[in-house]
Amino acid sequence: MSKEKELILEAKHVTKKFPLTKGKELIANDDVSLKFYKGQTLGIVGESGCGKSTFLKILTGQIEPSKGDVSITPGQRLSFLEQDHFKYDEYTALDTVIMGNERLYEIMKEKEAIYAKEDFTEEDGNKASELEAEFADMNGWEAESDAAQLLNGLGITTDLHYKQMAELNGSEKVKVLLAKALFGNPDILLLDEPTNHLDLDAIAWLEEFLINFENTVIVVSHDRYFLNKVCTHIADIDYAKIQLYAGNYDFWYESSQLLIKQMKEANKKKEEKIKELQDFIQRFSANASKSKQATSLEKIELDEIRPSSRKYPYIDFRPSREIGNEVLQVENLSKTIDGVKVLDNISFIVNHDDKIAFVGSNELATTTLFRILTGELEPDEGSFKWGITTNTAYFPKDSAAEFNREDTIVEWLTQYSPDPDPTYVRGFLGRMLFAGDDGVKKVKVLSGGEKVRCLISKMMITGANVLIFDDPTNHLDMESITALNNGLIKFSGVALFTSHDHQFIQTTANRIMEIVPSGQLIDKITTYDEYLENDEMARKRQGYAEAAEDDN
């Protein structure tokens, strides 16, 4: 007989409305009902601004819903990652972590106050005795060593444990606040973008912690690699509604795509479709990174797998000509900017099957290299030569100049199109989910995400066989990142790119380059995970602190 699932937290008919101007309202969550059970690690996904963080704040009690309620099973302790980096400035890092268990911290301070009294009474003795008993029940004697262990795991060295929070830098503060949320084995743990500002070693430690964590976790994250590692379920927010799915992010995405494909296959027998789904579930169960993930998939019923209503861009880079063997030769390139040598005597040859990820914290060096290779900047020394068959398209990190004009979107894209026919041009905008009437929007009023989608339309329409992307995943929602990721994997030409998305790099690149702070180049023919695994210093240099921002 299967073990009864233990209900931990429940949201009933939760709606949250925000007043806008002219009597209008923004509905962030609409009549949402969801049950959370012990042992689940649930990732909340949805496009930017859809209400993910709002829903998390309702669950923590930080904001009230417009209607509906949230109930926690009696006796359960809820903990969440706080975003205010200055709130605990007057406390030490260690004390801040222990404050994660409010009652335990109160007892510690009460005990200290009683024992510090000069006129210690019998009543004080009785009170101290009661506090000691409660303290022991809560494993209070291990509190400091437990807190220190969490801090050490996240990379906060022992010499910082007794420093005031005000003395720590932003990245260190984030780690302390994360340790505070994890402290004391909470029954419910809520994390909003926990991998932001973390180095890769800290992210790996957090993944391992959550994989082995036996209680309930609810997490909002843009990091697909992280969600795939830790999640047993995905909650998808779409049009202010929430739908719950078993499995991690890739399972949710790929099962949805498989069902959509099956719906179009009218001739395929029902038995064949069922077998295809069963094989799909079996494959994911075998690769699950933890037993909790495997268990959630083993229990899934086929009718529980439903297609998502979410729309994905269609990104397909088709070169107008095949690339030859000679692609790019770079010899002894050097460049100094503001007195700092960002490129120091760099040489490399690009081959016709290369997809090269430029990684590491030295983003100025990569941007400088890309600008030299596309003719925007002159090197101080050295040279480079593109092969005769190459045709490049460039996605710059800063595209402000590109959009500082009066053109409509269609007019802007037409200048890059080999065919000026408006219907042809609109087709490429449609692939990036621009509706028909969006084409008359002026490019100068577009949002960050819309500009990125325009640039990707441009990269597709030019038919280039060499694509250069400088951080394209910033400003993109997860659907667009997934579509771009898949488009680059299928691309038959050469790609040079940089990104903050671990999974994007790992699944696309077959060669890794890193320009270290001294301006010199490391060049390895390997995957990203292998590169990090084989070089501890490389892991420490990865400055993936700033994840894509979510404006919800």
Side-chain angles (χ1 to χ4, degrees):
M1 186 175 159
S2 68
K3 189 181 171 187
E4 189 73 22
K5 289 195 291 187
E6 186 182 341
L7 183 66
I8 298 292
L9 177 70
E10 185 173 9
K12 293 180 192 166
H13 306 293
V14 167
T15 297
K16 183 62 185 175
K17 298 177 180 179
F18 292 100
L20 299 175
T21 53
K22 297 179 182 173
K24 292 184 177 177
E25 291 179 319
L26 169 68
I27 301 176
N29 305 118
D30 186 15
D31 197 32
V32 169
S33 293
L34 211 53
K35 292 179 177 180
F36 304 91
Y37 294 95
K38 185 178 172 70
Q40 286 183 339
T41 300
L42 190 139
I44 301 179
V45 300
E47 63 184 26
S48 292
C50 73
K52 300 185 292 291
S53 294
T54 299
F55 185 60
L56 227 53
K57 284 176 181 166
I58 290 170
L59 294 180
T60 62
Q62 289 172 277
I63 59 175
E64 288 288 323
S66 306
K67 71 167 196 182
D69 61 84
V70 173
S71 57
I72 298 175
T73 303
Q76 306 296 305
R77 186 170 74 82
L78 182 146
S79 179
F80 64 92
L81 174 58
E82 294 185 61
Q83 307 293 335
D84 183 348
H85 297 178
F86 305 101
K87 185 175 176 181
Y88 299 98
D89 272 2
E90 63 196 68
Y91 298 95
T92 66
L94 202 66
D95 270 1
T96 302
V97 175
I98 295 169
M99 287 162 99
N101 189 332
E102 219 172 308
R103 179 59 191 147
L104 181 64
Y105 187 74
E106 280 172 13
I107 293 169
M108 286 174 71
K109 293 300 157 191
E110 274 191 70
K111 282 193 332 167
E112 283 176 22
I114 290 171
Y115 292 140
K117 282 185 173 183
E118 288 180 12
D119 52 343
F120 190 85
T121 64
E122 187 180 338
E123 194 181 333
D124 288 332
N126 292 336
K127 181 63 177 171
S129 172
E130 286 171 20
L131 291 171
E132 291 291 4
E134 193 178 348
F135 187 68
D137 283 346
M138 297 176 83
N139 287 330
W141 297 111
E142 281 84 50
E144 286 202 7
S145 65
D146 288 349
Q149 204 173 340
L150 290 171
L151 289 171
N152 290 334
L154 286 164
I156 299 292
T157 51
T158 311
D159 59 306
L160 298 177
H161 292 190
Y162 292 96
K163 281 197 183 299
Q164 301 287 110
M165 286 285 278
E167 296 176 65
L168 304 188
N169 66 33
S171 173
E172 289 162 348
K173 283 183 173 184
V174 168
K175 290 178 176 181
V176 175
L177 291 174
L178 181 55
K180 176 182 182 289
L182 305 179
F183 178 75
N185 198 35
D187 301 289
I188 308 157
L189 179 59
L190 276 66
L191 303 173
D192 192 355
E193 297 291 0
T195 59
N196 277 14
H197 307 284
L198 292 189
D199 53 79
L200 292 177
D201 279 345
I203 293 173
W205 181 90
L206 178 61
E207 286 167 355
E208 203 55 38
F209 180 93
L210 294 178
I211 283 168
N212 296 309
F213 188 68
E214 293 181 354
N215 295 337
T216 305
V217 183
I218 304 166
V219 60
V220 167
S221 177
H222 272 89
D223 188 336
R224 295 173 302 153
Y225 189 85
F226 177 74
L227 292 175
N228 282 330
K229 280 274 198 178
V230 305
C231 287
T232 62
H233 294 76
I234 293 292
D236 177 28
I237 301 186
D238 199 18
Y239 297 107
K241 301 286 187 186
I242 299 187
Q243 191 78 264
L244 190 63
Y245 302 85
N248 62 12
Y249 182 83
D250 276 357
F251 183 87
W252 167 73
Y253 169 74
E254 290 183 31
S255 63
S256 187
Q257 298 304 301
L258 176 58
L259 279 181
I260 291 166
K261 178 177 79 83
Q262 286 192 347
M263 285 172 184
K264 294 172 184 171
E265 295 171 331
N267 298 329
K268 191 177 265 190
K269 290 179 183 168
K270 187 181 178 185
E271 292 77 12
E272 288 178 41
K273 291 182 180 180
I274 289 170
K275 175 76 168 66
E276 191 175 23
L277 275 171
Q278 286 170 334
D279 290 347
F280 174 81
I281 294 169
Q282 182 57 43
R283 176 166 63 83
F284 263 86
S285 293
N287 293 327
S289 70
K290 60 175 179 176
S291 58
K292 277 205 292 189
Q293 280 184 331
T295 304
S296 79
L297 294 176
E298 283 160 11
K299 291 178 179 174
I300 198 170
E301 300 290 335
L302 288 183
D303 57 7
E304 289 179 53
I305 302 179
R306 300 178 300 279
S308 165
S309 58
R310 193 169 299 294
K311 285 187 169 65
Y312 287 79
Y314 175 67
I315 298 178
D316 186 17
F317 302 106
R318 293 190 183 179
S320 53
R321 70 183 292 184
E322 199 174 326
I323 201 162
N325 287 329
E326 290 184 8
V327 179
L328 172 64
Q329 187 155 356
V330 174
E331 288 188 356
N332 310 118
L333 273 192
S334 291
K335 183 71 179 176
T336 298
I337 293 179
D338 296 332
V340 178
K341 199 163 201 179
V342 293
L343 301 175
D344 185 9
N345 201 31
I346 282 176
S347 300
F348 59 90
I349 292 170
V350 175
N351 304 307
H352 84 309
D353 291 323
D354 282 346
K355 288 180 180 168
I356 304 171
F358 287 79
V359 303
S361 58
N362 195 1
E363 294 178 10
L364 174 61
T366 305
T367 297
T368 302
L369 175 63
F370 287 175
R371 291 182 67 197
I372 289 171
L373 296 179
T374 54
E376 281 191 11
L377 273 182
E378 286 292 322
D380 297 337
E381 297 167 42
S383 62
F384 65 93
K385 184 185 176 190
W386 287 104
I388 200 163
T389 62
T390 60
N391 169 20
T392 62
Y394 175 43
F395 181 110
K397 186 184 279 272
D398 180 4
S399 60
E402 183 85 68
F403 295 100
N404 188 20
R405 54 180 80 184
E406 293 296 324
D407 293 353
T408 65
I409 296 179
V410 169
E411 288 166 348
W412 175 85
L413 188 58
T414 302
Q415 67 184 317
Y416 300 110
S417 175
D419 182 344
D421 178 18
T423 308
Y424 178 78
V425 174
R426 282 177 185 277
F428 282 86
L429 291 171
R431 291 180 183 188
M432 292 309 298
L433 306 184
F434 284 108
D437 52 357
D438 286 337
V440 297
K441 258 190 188 177
K442 300 270 190 187
V443 293
K444 66 180 184 182
V445 301
L446 298 179
S447 69
E450 287 172 325
K451 286 175 182 172
V452 171
R453 283 157 50 207
C454 278
L455 287 169
I456 293 171
S457 300
K458 168 191 161 184
M459 304 283 278
M460 286 193 281
I461 209 166
T462 56
N465 54 21
V466 178
L467 302 178
I468 303 174
F469 282 102
D470 195 352
D471 204 6
T473 51
N474 213 3
H475 296 297
L476 283 185
D477 56 29
M478 287 168 74
E479 294 74 52
S480 301
I481 292 172
T482 301
L484 178 58
N485 196 168
N486 291 338
L488 265 185
I489 289 169
K490 288 187 297 186
F491 176 54
S492 61
V494 165
L496 312 179
F497 69 95
T498 180
S499 169
H500 287 90
D501 187 296
H502 188 130
Q503 184 156 332
F504 190 88
I505 301 169
Q506 170 58 19
T507 55
T508 306
N510 55 20
R511 185 173 173 186
I512 303 293
M513 290 191 184
E514 181 178 358
I515 303 169
V516 295
S518 64
Q520 291 164 322
L521 180 73
I522 298 171
D523 181 3
K524 305 275 186 188
I525 297 173
T526 183
T527 66
Y528 186 45
D529 281 350
E530 286 166 355
Y531 179 69
L532 297 173
E533 205 175 301
N534 295 330
D535 187 342
E536 186 183 340
M537 292 313 295
R539 286 201 306 279
K540 295 196 182 305
R541 284 194 306 268
Q542 304 312 297
Y544 289 1
E546 302 293 337
E549 287 183 11
D550 191 4
D551 58 342
N552 55 57

